[in-house]
Amino acid sequence: MNKQNKVLNELLNELSDMSHHKARGFDNIEPFSIRLTDALRWRIKRKVLPPKAGYQAFNQTWCSSIDINLEGNRVWWIGHSTTLIRLKNKWILTDPVFSNRVSPFQFIGPKRRTQPAITINQLPMIDVVVISHNHYDHLDFNSIRQLITRFPQMTILVPLGLKAKLKRWGAKHIIELDWWQSINTHEITFTATPAKHWSNRGVFDVNKALWCGWVMQTDIDNPLLTKTIYFMGDTGYSASLKKIADRFKQIDLALIPIGAYAPRWFMQSQHIDPQQALQLYDELNCQSAIAIHWGAFELADEPLDEPPALLKSLKEDRVFHLLKIGDSLAINPLNNALK
């Protein structure tokens, strides 16, 4: 009977892990919808405020020259959700966006207020790119095309529903994963993890492709050497994300978004704010974190300098780093308090 119960429980868990699949696309474990009237209300009322000291001073405060010659396992913040990660001498890019605007067109749409810390031509040989979802500030056509031209052998990891698009864009090596599926490539194990978000590139493809975070692990057969890095992608807060902590008992370094959260009546279902970023830091047993998804594009109503100020005022003794664009952090599974 115990064996039968175990099999039944495993089957129920498997079925629950598929609950985000719908007949014509995907949905969240805790579904939400964005009403057109709410989107229009936000657009009509929104007024983007500049940083308190102005854009030039913000750039001087939060931008730094990059040094990719630093040794060891390390993460560099390139800007917004784009990070450059070196693990086991392999190079990984997260959500590479190097364009001046995040939009279907480069003459209109949210424009970049801070420049990427590095250009595509200056990058080292990229082995893997991970994409969290297809919104324009995370999946950029021009950046992907340039990366494919420069690094034709790189592997691109995407959530379900994006492989065909990347193939049309010219990518040759694409791996498409569902939530909780894993693949080992370049001596690193990548696992797609749940997120509370949504997807679209246009009017008629809402939630036709999945969204996710990515857990990257080295040396999973040797717990003493294992390093676990979690790239959260975009997410609203959900208690269901605690399942990530059930599967990954310790996250050595998390890349957690802190921006694009205001006004909360409109953004709370899709983006966490700094306080919720800290809540997830605690609930997922993160040993250290880097704040991402802020400082480059004005995607919501808060000024660019508000997210880091709020995080700094709330984080207490948590090892939650506010890096300058271009700065880096060594990945240390024991204590990541030192850069």
Side-chain angles (χ1 to χ4, degrees), residues 136 142 189 275 280 313:
Y136 288 96
N142 291 326
T189 299
Q275 185 171 2
L280 285 173
S313 70

Side-chain angles (χ1 to χ4, degrees), residues 304-328:
L304 291 178
D305 56 352
E306 185 179 284
L310 282 178
L311 184 71
K312 188 174 181 179
S313 70
L314 295 169
K315 73 186 188 77
E316 298 177 340
D317 60 348
R318 297 176 182 89
V319 188
F320 204 131
H321 296 271
L322 285 162
L323 297 186
K324 294 182 179 182
I325 294 171
D327 277 353
S328 66

Side-chain angles (χ1 to χ4, degrees), residues 40 73 76 103 147 149 152 206 252 310 315 328:
L40 290 173
N73 296 303
W76 288 260
S103 166
L147 287 165
T149 299
V206 175
D252 299 310
L310 282 178
K315 73 186 188 77
S328 66

Side-chain angles (χ1 to χ4, degrees), residues 34-46 265-266:
I34 299 174
R35 294 186 299 179
L36 179 59
T37 54
D38 286 341
L40 290 173
R41 173 187 164 200
W42 170 59
R43 285 288 181 180
I44 291 170
K45 291 186 174 182
R46 76 175 303 212
W265 68 263
F266 184 67

Side-chain angles (χ1 to χ4, degrees), residues 176-196:
E176 192 178 65
L177 297 181
D178 197 358
W179 290 351
W180 302 123
Q181 288 184 331
S182 300
I183 187 75
N184 187 282
T185 181
H186 298 82
E187 301 181 76
I188 301 167
T189 299
F190 295 84
T191 303
T193 56
K196 183 182 179 182

Side-chain angles (χ1 to χ4, degrees), residues 190-208:
F190 295 84
T191 303
T193 56
K196 183 182 179 182
H197 203 56
W198 61 293
S199 70
N200 83 310
R201 301 283 285 184
V203 177
F204 302 107
D205 66 341
V206 175
N207 291 354
K208 295 297 176 62

